[in-house]
Amino acid sequence: MNNTNRRKVIAGNWKMNKTPAEATLLINELLPKIEGFNGSDIVLCVPFTDIHAAVAAVAGTRVKIGAQNVHFAENGAYTGEISASMLCECGVEYVVVGHSERRQYFGETDVTVNLRTKSALKAGLRVILCIGEKLEERERGITDEIIIMQLYTALLGVTKTEMKNVIIAYEPVWAIGTGKTATSDQAEGVCALIRSLLSDKYGDEVSQNTAIQYGGSMNASNAAELLAKENIDGGLIGGASLKANDFTAIVKAAQ
Ligand code: PGA
């Protein structure tokens, strides 16, 4: 079953870049360039401190603002953390959960990814759930096992209805920020696996309606080929999302 109605989602992951003033400048530069390219949903996942400025800058446009992490408790003694309801009240609609940099540098595990995912969904946020294998895992031939474990653990207790607000981002760790993109066939292979796993867990309808993004050195020159693949419904874009022209080229490629 192939659902051609699935909308593409192009999301920028700014990581720890841009002050609020710089965020406003970049968004103001980007908006006129992407005007008229309505073939995909566009999200900018900005640092917490940029949310206020970014939400103001995109007001009245179809660009949505996302955060890059969320804590799993509703409130409490978690110094330095931000809850889902805090994000919602600031105008945030999406949140990246389980990014490999969070897993690598900040002790994120499949279990905490699951807790964050459930907490974000409960608050009404859309979750961009990141999964992906490391280079040594790919070389050992265990990519599929890693994907199965990360996906199913992250989605424990997530209902069929809540899946409407879940986007899966397949990001092979070895391709993130390295300039080494997965080939379009490698990316398509894993995205197709993810879709079949979603079908096993939630049935065909959910699996066909869920957007699956590729992320990892997606840029102006490789986006069109990746986005043309049947099971790749968008991109999570780091480096290239910090330049208005590069991000615009990817938005255009998604038309
Ligand atoms: P990159 O980052 O596009 O710079 O490789 C992607 C990501 O980390 O989401």
Side-chain angles (χ1 to χ4, degrees):
M1 188 165 101
N2 180 15
N3 180 348
T4 47
N5 293 327
R6 234 170 15 235
R7 263 181 84 72
K8 291 203 177 352
V9 184
I10 303 297
N13 174 15
W14 287 8
K15 310 194 180 186
M16 196 174 72
N17 292 292
K18 305 287 174 191
T19 66
E22 290 166 346
T24 304
L25 278 177
L26 176 55
I27 292 172
N28 287 344
E29 190 189 346
L30 181 66
L31 289 176
K33 291 181 196 281
I34 58 174
E35 210 180 303
F37 295 99
N38 298 329
S40 56
D41 293 339
I42 300 175
V43 186
L44 302 176
C45 299
V46 304
F48 291 132
T49 44
D50 288 352
I51 288 170
H52 184 74
V55 167
V58 302
T61 76
R62 63 193 194 82
V63 177
K64 308 291 187 198
I65 298 303
Q68 299 172 12
N69 190 21
V70 59
H71 195 260
F72 36 81
E74 283 179 27
N75 50 49
Y78 299 101
T79 302
E81 293 296 321
I82 303 284
S83 74
S85 61
M86 290 171 183
L87 294 176
C88 290
E89 201 172 313
C90 291
V92 167
E93 294 180 54
Y94 289 74
V95 63
V96 175
V97 173
H99 192 278
S100 66
E101 287 151 16
R102 302 288 326 163
R103 296 176 191 257
Q104 186 179 351
Y105 304 128
F106 302 100
E108 190 80 75
T109 65
D110 289 335
V111 172
T112 55
V113 169
N114 173 245
L115 292 173
R116 289 182 212 280
T117 298
K118 285 191 292 193
S119 157
L121 290 172
K122 195 169 153 215
L125 290 167
R126 298 196 152 174
V127 171
I128 299 177
L129 173 62
C130 302
I131 57 176
E133 81 287 2
K134 296 185 194 134
L135 183 59
E136 64 266 27
E137 292 164 341
R138 176 160 283 264
E139 285 172 349
R140 280 171 58 205
I142 56 167
T143 297
D144 291 8
E145 286 79 358
I146 296 295
I147 295 295
I148 293 168
M149 187 178 66
Q150 290 185 348
L151 185 73
Y152 280 165
T153 312
L155 293 177
L156 273 175
V158 173
T159 66
K160 238 178 168 175
T161 316
E162 287 175 321
M163 283 303 292
K164 288 197 180 78
N165 284 331
V166 175
I167 293 164
I168 311 292
Y170 167 55
E171 298 207 305
V173 179
W174 46 272
I176 296 177
T178 57
K180 238 193 215 179
T181 324
T183 65
S184 56
D185 286 337
Q186 281 172 326
E188 167 65 12
V190 178
C191 291
L193 166 70
I194 293 169
R195 200 170 307 288
S196 80
L197 294 169
L198 292 175
S199 172
D200 291 346
K201 184 172 165 73
Y202 292 107
D204 263 357
E205 198 184 330
V206 168
S207 123
Q208 288 302 324
N209 286 327
T210 303
I212 303 176
Q213 298 174 315
Y214 168 78
S217 300
M218 189 184 270
N219 58 38
S221 40
N222 61 28
E225 187 184 336
L226 288 158
L227 294 171
K229 292 289 181 186
E230 182 182 337
N231 287 292
I232 303 180
D233 310 313
L236 182 57
I237 298 124
S241 72
L242 296 169
K243 295 192 187 117
N245 284 338
D246 291 7
F247 193 67
T248 301
I250 297 172
V251 170
K252 286 184 187 169
Q255 268 307 95

